[in-house]
Amino acid sequence: MAAEALSNGAGHKSVPEAYVFPADKRPGSSPSCAGAIPVVDIDLGSDDPDRIVKQIMDAGREFDLNFLLSFSCLTALVINHGVPEPVIASMVASAEEFFRLPAEEKMALYSTDSKKLPHRLKLGIYPTEQFRQNWPDKPASLRAALEAYAPAVRAVALRILRLTAAGLGLAAAGYFEDGDELTAGPVIVNANHYRACPDPSLTMGLAPHCDPNVVTVLADNGVPGLQARRRGYGGGGGDGGWVDVAPVPGALVVNFGHQMELVSNGAMRAGEHRVVTDARAARTSVAAFFMPAMGCAVAAAPGTVAAGEKPLFRTFTYQEFMGAYTAVAGDRDAVMARFQNKD
């Protein structure tokens, strides 16, 4: 099915055959569970930073998709170090406007995959001076939205990483600080558009996966669909149930990727998530990916491995990891098996 047909064509009365998932891969084939993912308040003016660190660590250990970052009461953070709500709104609105453009104006910029439903605009946003010239001219609002969003969302990601480093006992070693190779790669944004689906039971907007990078920060247009896997649902520690990530006004979703799990020696697990479709409304999301430099050597950080024990994972470069991740189409178990320490 051509991208044009799903993006600009008339509404479908049935799911095109190419997008129907096998029965064992459909949304209803795995358990769901009630509840909500944690909301973490990272107020810069807080006089109790240890409380914030504990919230992040607890969220990362309970949910594979870690937490919603709420700005509803954080005026100081929004103004001085966070992403103000108007900046988030402008970024998402510009992405929505892009997907409404005539097909001939956006097809050259599309990134599509016949196995996935979303249409995707993929852009580098940081370093801004490196990528600015490649940003689309249309819609007219997009460039200004990216200029405002890029530095603000990067500042939020770095603060989350600094707090996480503190929780892991790695702050003194400078882990995840600005300039660290683990965060020195380009910041990439994927704007995803999931059209309303005539039968959400037959397909997935995006199949279950973990992101390959260190951390992802996501904003959306308030339409449900994102789900997180909760660890240990139904007893045991394996396959968890899926929890709806209910949209929260003024919030960002923060999700740890594979590199956080590897560097923390498994203390913080990569967040597995998926997107289900909605029969009534289209979902648009903007995900910013923060990653290591390609040549960065990734290994379990000192202090995360108990004395006398070996790291769970071997040392590798991020470039090697991305090659393996691509080869297995992001399958969590397959990619992690390739980096297990077998010595």
Side-chain angles (χ1 to χ4, degrees):
M1 176 63 65
E4 179 179 357
L6 286 178
S7 177
N8 289 77
H12 291 270
K13 294 183 179 179
S14 62
V15 178
E17 187 64 30
Y19 293 90
V20 175
F21 273 53
D24 63 341
K25 303 295 184 183
R26 295 175 190 173
S29 66
S30 53
S32 296
C33 58
I37 65 171
V39 176
V40 175
D41 178 338
I42 63 164
D43 186 359
L44 282 177
S46 172
D47 58 1
D48 187 7
D50 290 343
R51 174 189 56 81
I52 302 173
V53 170
K54 184 178 185 302
Q55 287 183 49
I56 291 174
M57 303 306 287
D58 288 348
R61 289 165 177 151
E62 178 183 2
F63 278 83
D64 286 353
L65 184 80
N66 296 295
F67 46 83
L68 281 171
L69 179 60
S70 175
F71 293 135
S72 57
C73 300
L74 305 181
T75 304
L77 177 60
V78 168
I79 293 173
N80 297 317
H81 194 62
V83 186
E85 288 193 39
V87 172
I88 298 173
S90 294
M91 186 68 256
V92 174
S94 294
E96 289 181 308
E97 191 175 352
F98 170 83
F99 291 113
R100 288 195 295 266
L101 290 173
E104 62 272 14
E105 294 186 18
K106 64 187 176 186
M107 289 300 292
L109 298 166
Y110 257 147
S111 173
T112 59
D113 183 328
S114 63
K115 297 179 182 178
K116 301 173 183 176
L117 277 183
H119 295 284
R120 175 172 296 160
L121 174 64
K122 184 175 182 178
L123 299 171
I125 64 168
Y126 189 89
T128 305
E129 61 276 9
Q130 176 181 337
F131 294 110
R132 184 185 289 116
Q133 67 271 18
N134 298 322
W135 293 347
D137 293 323
K138 294 182 180 180
S141 61
L142 181 58
R143 285 177 168 264
L146 288 168
E147 290 278 2
Y149 192 72
V153 75
R154 183 171 181 270
V156 170
L158 289 175
R159 173 153 172 79
I160 289 293
L161 290 172
R162 284 193 295 270
L163 290 166
T164 305
L168 292 168
L170 304 177
Y175 272 79
F176 306 125
E177 288 289 343
D178 192 2
D180 178 13
E181 275 204 321
L182 287 166
T183 58
V187 180
I188 305 297
V189 152
N190 284 351
N192 295 319
H193 181 70
Y194 309 83
R195 285 198 64 186
C197 178
D199 189 348
S201 70
L202 296 178
T203 190
M204 297 286 296
L206 203 57
H209 69 285
C210 299
D211 294 336
N213 49 300
V214 178
V215 68
T216 303
V217 181
L218 180 141
D220 60 45
N221 65 345
V223 174
L226 181 63
Q227 294 184 333
R229 191 187 293 277
R230 184 173 189 172
R231 195 175 310 173
Y233 173 71
D239 186 23
W242 291 100
V243 178
D244 291 324
V245 181
V248 174
L252 297 170
V253 178
V254 176
N255 182 36
F256 288 135
H258 279 295
Q259 305 314 304
M260 178 61 76
E261 180 168 357
L262 295 159
V263 169
S264 70
N265 201 41
M268 304 298 283
R269 181 166 166 158
E272 192 171 7
H273 52 285
R274 69 183 189 180
V275 177
V276 297
T277 57
D278 190 283
R280 297 162 296 180
R283 172 180 169 82
T284 298
S285 64
V286 179
F289 299 91
F290 298 83
M291 64 192 71
M294 280 295 178
C296 176
V298 181
T304 65
V305 183
E309 295 186 1
K310 295 180 180 179
L312 297 176
F313 309 100
R314 63 177 176 85
T315 302
F316 55 91
T317 65
Y318 186 55
Q319 184 172 18
E320 181 188 359
F321 182 89
M322 286 304 302
Y325 185 88
T326 302
V328 299
D331 180 89
R332 175 188 163 79
D333 292 338
V335 71
M336 295 301 276
R338 294 197 178 196
F339 296 97
Q340 286 179 348
N341 194 344
K342 299 176 182 179
D343 293 339

